[in-house]
Amino acid sequence: VHRALDTTGALAGPLIAFVVLASIPNGFDHIFVLSFAAAVIGLAILVLLVPNLRSQRLPAERPSLRVVAGLAVRPGLRRLLAVAAVLSMLTIGDGFLYLALQRREDFAAKYFPLLFAGTALVYLLLAIPLGRLADRWGAWPSSSAGTSPCLGHTSSRSA
């Protein structure tokens, strides 16, 4: 439910931005004000309506920085951290790809939010069926099936 609501918000935000930009040319300041208002409303809902359950738990001892840093010495975790560091250096955000696409295709700025809305819509529509397929196939085959077309596209563009 949390992920579905998050993705629905990720779909609604760009659609609202598109409507604002379509009705008010260069209305980027209006989008920032609307975004800020949505954030304030969300914060107010969290503060006023969500109960603070932390106070009902027993206080836990906070680990020291030395203990946390010592976890990186473990061989399994060290390998995981190294892979995560390499993958994070190779990852580019959707926004940068959309900017490159907009520059290459030269479409109007008011259509730019629709790229984000399209991404959220595809994610929303495919998350459950592909998640079920991943549960059936397993994590490695489904991840490889999703990554290999990207690698094939990248290698064909560089040749």
Side-chain angles (χ1 to χ4, degrees):
V1 173
H2 169 262
R3 185 65 67 183
L5 290 173
D6 182 48
T7 306
T8 303
L11 176 63
L15 290 177
I16 292 169
F18 172 70
V19 169
V20 169
L21 287 176
S23 60
I24 305 170
N26 294 323
F28 298 106
D29 53 342
H30 297 283
I31 292 173
F32 287 117
V33 170
L34 285 173
S35 298
F36 181 73
V40 169
I41 291 169
L43 182 63
I45 289 171
L46 283 174
V47 169
L48 299 174
L49 300 178
V50 177
N52 185 5
L53 300 178
R54 179 179 284 178
S55 62
Q56 297 173 359
R57 289 190 217 150
L58 295 175
E61 186 178 325
R62 293 182 62 136
S64 68
L65 185 59
R66 178 174 287 168
V67 171
V68 173
L71 292 175
V73 178
R74 293 182 178 180
L77 189 58
R78 186 175 37 209
R79 245 186 325 246
L80 177 66
L81 290 173
V83 169
V86 169
L87 289 177
S88 68
M89 287 188 282
L90 298 174
T91 301
I92 185 168
D94 293 345
F96 291 118
L97 295 174
Y98 299 154
L99 284 171
L101 182 65
Q102 184 206 18
R103 181 168 286 178
R104 190 179 76 191
E105 299 299 324
D106 195 33
F107 59 86
K110 71 178 182 181
Y111 297 115
F112 192 74
L114 293 179
L115 297 172
F116 291 94
T119 300
L121 180 64
V122 169
Y123 180 84
L124 191 62
L125 294 176
L126 295 180
I128 292 176
L130 291 180
R132 288 184 179 161
L133 193 62
D135 288 342
R136 185 174 301 143
W137 283 3
W140 181 252
S142 58
S143 179
S144 299
T147 305
S148 55
C150 297
L151 294 174
H153 177 71
T154 303
S155 63
S156 69
R157 299 274 295 164
S158 62

